[in-house]
Amino acid sequence: MIQPPQSRNLNLTAGRLLARNVIWNLIGNGAPMFVAVFSIPILLHEMGKDRFGVLALAWALIGYASLFDLGLGRALTQLVARKMGAGEEHEIPTLVWTSLLLMFLLGLVGTLVAVLLSPWLVHRALNVPAALQRETLQSFYLLGLSIPVVISTAGLRGLLEAHQKFGLINGLRIPLGIYSFASPLLVLPFSKSLFPVVGVLVAGRIVGWAVHLLLCFRVVPELRERIAWHGAAAGPLLRFGGWMTVSNIVSPLMVTLEPLPDRRAGFHDCCRLLCHAV
């Protein structure tokens, strides 16, 4: 039985709920770090520093692919929360689908950019060793194809955040974060090539997207009724998202402009950088 929107949105600003959400976020952001501490030394030893360096780039690219959403994920959170506060829950499904369709289009643009830039990055900009160039290029193409999935996942997560479902969000974030560092270990007994390693990372993102979508259907059952586009909603989403994009760009730069850890640095420095990206 579908609950009335009003009954689903009660006490979303209760102090106990907010405190619980903070704890969930701390756990969700910290849990993958512990797995990284054990996974990174093994991956570095088994794959070699050159392949591991490309894998680190893959982690970062997957994490930063959300830059292509132009802040629409956070914009959706803010606008859905505003609709809920104003008692306009009936407008939420159309707003959500409009945002997701915009994100999908932006994801296709990101895929095109990634495919066009990958040969230049591999053969010129990144100085990838000649023996690794083919598998690195194939891996970058695969990462490019995953951009629409990564971007639209941010939108689905934004909808859950607007409904204060941080328990559900971190219930997904924790296993996905752990999977990002642990899944390459599962490939090593069979292959040390970059392509299957990146393949399992992309597969995990696709599964994560599907689970996010199912949870959004559970939280907002009205989304199942139809996919709708509302052009008037695109303007507010893009305007608010544009400001959020500035934050999305500046935050990664403040991390990546720090001195990168060299081989003599502790693995905790590597883990901190990679966990931020993933």
Side-chain angles (χ1 to χ4, degrees):
M1 179 178 179
I2 297 178
Q3 294 179 322
Q6 292 81 0
S7 66
R8 297 200 303 264
N9 300 332
L10 294 177
N11 299 322
L12 291 183
T13 58
R16 182 176 298 179
L17 176 62
L18 295 177
R20 186 169 68 243
N21 291 339
V22 171
I23 294 173
W24 270 116
N25 283 335
L26 290 174
I27 296 173
N29 288 321
M33 180 75 71
F34 295 99
V35 179
V37 169
F38 296 100
S39 299
I40 288 177
I42 299 174
L43 291 170
L44 182 58
H45 179 265
E46 294 293 329
M47 300 182 69
K49 62 183 181 66
D50 291 329
R51 278 194 174 90
F52 179 80
V54 178
L55 176 60
L57 284 174
W59 277 329
L61 289 173
I62 288 177
Y64 295 156
S66 58
L67 291 175
F68 284 99
D69 78 346
L70 299 183
L72 289 177
R74 294 186 182 183
L76 181 62
T77 301
Q78 196 269 351
L79 293 176
V80 168
R82 181 184 297 176
K83 295 292 184 184
M84 293 167 61
E88 300 173 349
E89 289 86 356
H90 63 282
E91 298 182 10
I92 291 177
T94 301
L95 179 64
V96 171
W97 282 120
T98 300
S99 177
L100 292 177
L101 290 171
L102 279 172
M103 288 181 171
F104 180 75
L105 293 175
L106 290 171
L108 293 179
V109 173
T111 295
L112 179 61
V113 171
V115 169
L116 292 177
L117 287 181
S118 289
W120 175 76
L121 289 172
V122 172
H123 297 300
R124 296 179 180 273
L126 299 179
N127 294 318
V128 177
L132 299 180
Q133 287 184 358
R134 181 178 179 182
E135 59 188 272
T136 300
L137 185 59
Q138 292 174 341
S139 300
F140 278 18
Y141 285 152
L142 186 57
L143 288 171
L145 293 175
S146 72
I147 290 177
V149 172
V150 175
I151 290 179
S152 55
T153 299
L156 296 171
R157 186 185 305 117
L159 176 60
L160 295 174
E161 289 175 348
H163 286 82
Q164 299 277 1
K165 300 298 182 180
F166 289 94
L168 295 176
I169 293 170
N170 287 286
L172 283 175
R173 178 179 291 165
I174 292 172
L176 286 175
I178 292 173
Y179 179 86
S180 293
F181 291 110
S183 59
L185 296 177
L186 302 177
V187 179
L188 291 181
F190 307 99
S191 173
K192 292 180 174 60
S193 174
L194 287 167
F195 186 75
V197 170
V198 172
V200 298
L201 293 177
V202 172
R205 293 290 171 164
I206 294 173
V207 172
W209 173 87
V211 177
H212 275 89
L213 181 62
L214 291 175
L215 288 178
C216 287
F217 285 163
R218 174 183 170 186
V219 173
V220 186
E222 295 84 1
L223 289 174
R224 301 175 181 176
E225 296 177 2
R226 64 189 181 92
I227 298 176
W229 168 268
H230 185 50
L237 283 166
L238 290 172
R239 284 194 297 271
F240 188 86
W243 288 106
M244 300 310 302
T245 301
V246 177
S247 173
N248 286 346
I249 294 175
V250 171
S251 178
L253 285 178
M254 293 183 67
V255 173
T256 54
L257 287 178
E258 296 179 13
L260 291 176
D262 58 25
R263 286 184 292 178
R264 296 171 298 176
F267 279 110
H268 68 281
D269 293 324
C270 299
C271 296
R272 175 185 56 78
L273 176 65
L274 293 174
C275 281
H276 179 89
V278 175

